[in-house]
């Protein structure tokens, strides 16, 4: 067992459990950053069951590390062929290697290790992995909010709506609970009692924001005049980023509640932990679907708005460019937001059509109408040339006459 590494994947992350040196060598050889899994937190799930003492000693002797399932780490799951359980949705297996040989960790061992055969340990590890994945997502949202122009706290404070104002208080309560959890190592009944009512406020705020985004999409839908579109698109440009920031904070706080919730279940009802983890996973996916429908509807309207502006670029070059510029900014913000939450989508960057390109397209369409169109274009071209030659001739005659008059005057003087 000294040179075995037990792997567990839940689709969001990958846990490695084994001898500390073996785990470290494996991670170093693959260049993968990781976080402490916190195996000591699994002891309460053992209870007084048979073999609890042996499992507890194995937990103490092993190291547990967790890493987000990226393209690189996902390759390990595929490469080593982890087996997936239809009941838990977890993929697991054991890697075996020789002492001191990093490259020895390449053979997949079909026989599972003792920790993986213990349902309580497996469920507890999966619960902790879910927490780490959500905390990673929370950190990424924090980075996202720090990079946008308007901080979400500033947006919330600037609002007069009671729904949004309540978010400030909820944020403080949840942050306090997370701090206590970090220092105590668990979520007590007292700590949980402080936060258990907050999901209603978060859900109400999320629903309010989604309605605001839907209202912006509908407003764009009912504008056909390029001037009106320019004004509405500019308004959307400033508002969408703010609403997305609030939406991101809602999602972050919902993940924080889920982290606290799993800790509470782990402490109070460990036998329900795996079912609760799976239920939270479904609920999180449903929230993502709801957000996705609203933001994708907005993206559809943004693309349609840009299309209208591009079609009218010849008549309204300045306004059309303004519409597409604002639309592009909104689209970029939504795409970044989708990437942050892991919402799939493939959107091309919106680009304002240059006036000269639009003019060329008009000319090309005229030439494509056939011989009559070509003849018309040629006739118009000849008439334009004749008019230009006539104007040039008149200008030349005028200049010559003025020159002769000036010369005559000089001679008389």
């Amino acid at each position: 067992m000294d040179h075995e590494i037990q792997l567990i994947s839940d689709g969001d992350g990958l846990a490695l459990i084994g001898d500390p040196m073996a785990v470290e060598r494996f991670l170093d050889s693959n260049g993968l950053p990781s976080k402490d899994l916190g195996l000591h937190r699994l002891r309460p799930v053992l209870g007084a069951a048979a073999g609890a003492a042996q499992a507890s000693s194995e937990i103490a002797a092993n190291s547990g590390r967790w890493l987000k399932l990226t393209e690189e780490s996902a390759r390990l799951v595929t490469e080593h062929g982890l087996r997936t359980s239809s009941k838990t949705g977890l993929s697991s297996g054991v890697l075996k290697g020789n002492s001191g040989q990093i490259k020895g960790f390449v053979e997949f061992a079909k026989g599972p290790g003792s920790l993986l055969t213990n349902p309580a340990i497996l469920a507890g590890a999966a619960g902790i992995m879910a927490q780490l994945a959500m905390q990673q997502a929370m950190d990424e949202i924090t980075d996202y909010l720090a990079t946008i122009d308007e901080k979400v706290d500033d947006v919330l404070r600037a609002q007069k709506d009671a729904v949004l104002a309540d978010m400030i208080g909820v944020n403080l309560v949840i942050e306090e609970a997370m701090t206590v959890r970090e220092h105590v190592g668990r979520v007590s009944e007292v700590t949980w009692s402080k936060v258990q009512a907050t999901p209603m406020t978060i859900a109400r705020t999320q629903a309010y924001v989604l309605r605001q985004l839907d209202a912006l999409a509908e407003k764009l839908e009912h504008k056909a005049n390029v001037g009106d579109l320019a004004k509405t698109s500019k308004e959307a440009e400033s508002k969408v980023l703010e609403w997305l920031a609030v939406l991101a904070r809602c999602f972050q706080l919902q993940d924080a509640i889920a982290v606290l919730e799993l800790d509470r279940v782990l402490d109070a009802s460990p036998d329900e932990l795996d079912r609760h983890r799976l239920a939270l996973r479904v609920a999180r996916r449903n929230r993502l679907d709801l957000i996705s429908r609203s933001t994708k509807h907005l993206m559809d309207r943004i693309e349609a708005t840009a299309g209208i502006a591009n079609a009218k670029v010849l008549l309204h070059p300045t306004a059309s460019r303004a519409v597409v510029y604002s639309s592009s900014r909104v689209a970029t913000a939504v795409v970044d937001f989708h990437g942050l939450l892991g919402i799939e989508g493939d959107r091309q960057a919106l680009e304002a059509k240059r006036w000269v390109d639009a003019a060329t397209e008009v000319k090309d369409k005229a030439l494509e109408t056939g011989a009559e169109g070509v003849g018309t274009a040629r006739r118009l071209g000849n008439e334009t040339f004749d008019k230009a030659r006539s104007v040039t001739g008149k200008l030349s005659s005028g200049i010559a006459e003025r020159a002769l008059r000036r010369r005559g005057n000089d001679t008389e003087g």
Side-chain angles (χ1 to χ4, degrees):
M1 176 82 178
D2 287 347
H3 308 298
E4 290 182 353
I5 297 180
Q6 301 173 66
L7 304 180
I8 307 172
S9 174
D10 61 358
D12 294 319
L14 178 66
L16 296 87
I17 302 173
D19 175 75
M21 292 298 295
V23 172
E24 184 179 349
R25 288 199 304 271
F26 180 79
L27 290 171
D28 288 344
S29 67
N30 287 279
L32 298 171
S34 64
K35 295 181 179 180
D36 181 28
L37 184 62
L39 282 179
H40 63 279
R41 297 173 57 202
L42 296 179
R43 288 173 185 162
V45 307
L46 297 173
Q54 180 183 352
S56 181
S57 64
E58 288 180 359
I59 288 173
N62 283 290
S63 170
R65 305 296 297 179
W66 177 89
L67 54 149
K68 182 179 178 180
L69 208 60
T70 60
E71 182 177 347
E72 185 63 24
S73 55
R75 179 184 57 79
L76 295 176
V77 176
T78 304
E79 179 182 326
H80 297 298
L82 303 186
R83 291 184 302 252
T84 302
S85 167
S86 59
K87 182 177 180 180
T88 65
L90 300 173
S91 302
S92 60
V94 181
L95 293 176
K96 289 187 176 181
N98 300 321
S99 178
Q101 294 183 359
I102 297 174
K103 294 183 179 180
F105 296 105
V106 294
E107 179 183 355
F108 180 72
K110 294 185 178 180
S114 59
L115 289 180
L116 294 185
T117 59
N118 188 315
I121 293 293
L122 195 59
I128 296 174
M129 290 172 65
Q131 289 178 312
L132 289 170
M134 286 185 285
Q135 287 176 293
Q136 176 76 23
M138 289 164 60
D139 291 340
E140 290 172 359
I141 290 176
T142 297
D143 294 340
Y144 163 81
L145 294 175
T147 59
I148 62 178
D149 295 334
E150 296 286 339
K151 296 291 196 308
V152 64
D153 289 336
D154 295 335
V155 175
L156 291 175
R157 292 190 183 98
Q159 298 295 329
K160 297 179 181 179
D161 300 277
V163 174
L164 296 181
D166 287 345
M167 281 286 290
I168 300 175
V170 166
N171 181 58
L172 293 175
V173 171
I174 293 177
E175 282 187 355
E176 179 182 311
M178 293 294 285
T179 301
V180 172
R181 170 186 181 267
E182 183 179 349
H183 285 79
V184 177
R186 59 186 288 267
V187 176
S188 67
E189 186 177 348
V190 173
T191 300
W192 179 244
S193 67
K194 295 178 180 179
V195 300
Q196 62 182 353
T198 58
M200 178 60 71
T201 300
I202 301 171
R204 188 166 65 247
T205 304
Q206 176 181 292
Y208 179 85
V209 172
L210 291 177
R211 285 200 303 270
Q212 297 303 314
L213 291 175
D214 289 341
L216 280 174
E218 290 175 8
K219 198 171 183 179
L220 288 168
E221 189 172 2
H222 292 95
K223 302 293 182 184
N225 180 275
V226 175
D228 292 338
L229 281 176
K231 182 179 179 180
T232 306
S233 298
K234 187 65 178 178
E235 177 187 350
E237 181 185 345
S238 62
K239 289 294 183 182
V240 166
L241 196 61
E242 295 179 0
W243 292 129
L244 291 180
V246 178
L247 201 55
R249 177 54 62 87
C250 286
F251 204 84
Q252 185 183 47
L253 293 177
Q254 286 164 331
D255 273 351
I257 287 292
V259 169
L260 296 169
E261 204 171 312
L262 285 171
D263 257 3
R264 186 63 193 142
V265 175
L266 178 63
D267 191 49
S269 308
D271 56 321
E272 297 178 5
L273 182 62
D274 207 46
R275 292 194 299 272
H276 204 84
R277 173 186 67 86
L278 293 173
L280 286 175
R281 190 182 183 93
V282 172
R284 192 176 193 270
R285 189 184 308 119
N286 290 340
R287 291 201 309 272
L288 282 174
D289 290 342
L290 182 63
I291 292 172
S292 175
R293 285 196 297 271
S294 183
T295 52
K296 285 183 176 180
H297 175 58
L298 177 62
M299 281 289 289
D300 290 340
R301 293 315 313 158
I302 285 295
E303 289 188 349
T305 298
I308 293 173
N310 271 333
K312 299 182 178 182
V313 68
L314 277 176
L315 298 176
H316 309 281
T318 303
S320 293
R321 287 179 182 279
V323 170
V324 179
Y325 176 79
S326 295
S327 299
S328 181
R329 294 256 300 177
V330 171
T332 299
V334 174
V335 168
D336 289 344
F337 180 77
H338 283 176
L340 174 72
L341 298 187
I343 297 173
E344 295 181 359
D346 182 20
R347 299 281 184 172
Q348 296 292 331
L350 302 177
E351 183 179 355
K353 184 180 295 183
R354 294 173 55 194
W355 191 92
V356 66
D357 293 338
T360 301
E361 286 184 10
V362 171
K363 181 195 70 174
D364 291 343
K365 287 179 180 179
L367 294 177
E368 288 171 3
T369 57
E372 182 179 353
V374 172
T376 301
R378 185 174 299 162
R379 184 173 62 255
L380 290 173
N382 291 336
E383 290 177 359
T384 301
F385 177 76
D386 290 340
K387 290 180 179 178
R389 184 171 58 182
S390 174
V391 171
T392 303
K394 291 180 180 178
L395 286 173
S396 300
S397 300
I399 293 172
E401 289 178 3
R402 286 197 297 272
L404 288 173
R405 285 198 300 270
R406 188 179 298 112
R407 187 179 301 169
N409 294 334
D410 292 339
T411 304
E412 292 175 2

